Amino acid sequence: GIQVEQSPPDLILQEGANSTLRCNFSDSVNNLQWFHQNPWGQLINLFYIPSGTKQNGRLSATTVATERYSLLYISSSQTTDSGVYFCAVIGAQKLVFGQGTRLTINP
Amino acid sequence: EPEVTQTPSHQVTQMGQEVILRCVPISNHLYFYWYRQILGQKVEFLVSFYNNEISEKSEIFDDQFSVERPDGSNFTLKIRSTKLEDSAMYFCAGQRVSSTDTQYFGPGTRLTVL
């Protein structure tokens, strides 16, 4: 099945810094989603981005499907950005999740 | 904006007991999923459901698990005889069109088996 790898596993930054999270996947996909898991465990949809670039406020994402990777950019980080960020892809029907990147933003 | 809802938010049960986790998907969704996340680990697929039947299930989804959509709105996951290792966060998700559409997740039910 499809393999999804995220890097780095952990990232600690000061408030105001920018960050780039990476997601590599092993096969062509029909769907790629980025999620933020908040401290209460909820999975918040950030982007649906099987290809191309999207932006939403301080967050943007780019997927290069032909090279099988996606990047999530967070600019001017805030403490509320802390949490785990998951990338998930669909090959057949189900979403396959990566292990996540734990982002900690210190004040 | 419509949301997926799940109840209860937290369930504590004794080993061997049956539990039913409930989900109300977004009304125009056709494909439904259950996922679980053991504490500190990644989210794993359990089962997908379409047209009132299971379309795919993982090896985790053994005979102790079942799903149904009894009334066209609720989507339930039943665990017949819970084990300690069933302790996890369980997420319901829905999708309007298979494979190419966004999956929308509920807030999850945290199941604790003692």
Side-chain angles (χ1 to χ4, degrees), chain A residues 41-57:
Chain A
Q42 297 173 336
L43 288 170
I44 310 299
N45 262 317
L46 296 177
F47 293 102
Y48 162 73
I49 185 164
S51 63
T53 298
K54 288 186 178 178
Q55 178 150 12
N56 184 4

Side-chain angles (χ1 to χ4, degrees), chain A residues 4-11 21-23 34-37 43 83-88 96-103, chain B residues 37 40-43:
Chain A
V4 181
E5 292 185 6
Q6 292 186 244
S7 59
D10 292 280
L11 188 56
L21 282 58
R22 187 177 179 103
C23 172
W34 281 98
F35 296 89
H36 175 213
Q37 187 163 42
L43 288 170
V84 182
Y85 289 80
F86 287 103
C87 160
V96 177
F97 282 74
Q99 292 280 4
T101 292
R102 180 174 298 278
L103 178 65
Chain B
Q37 183 185 30
Q41 299 186 20
K42 66 179 180 179
V43 180

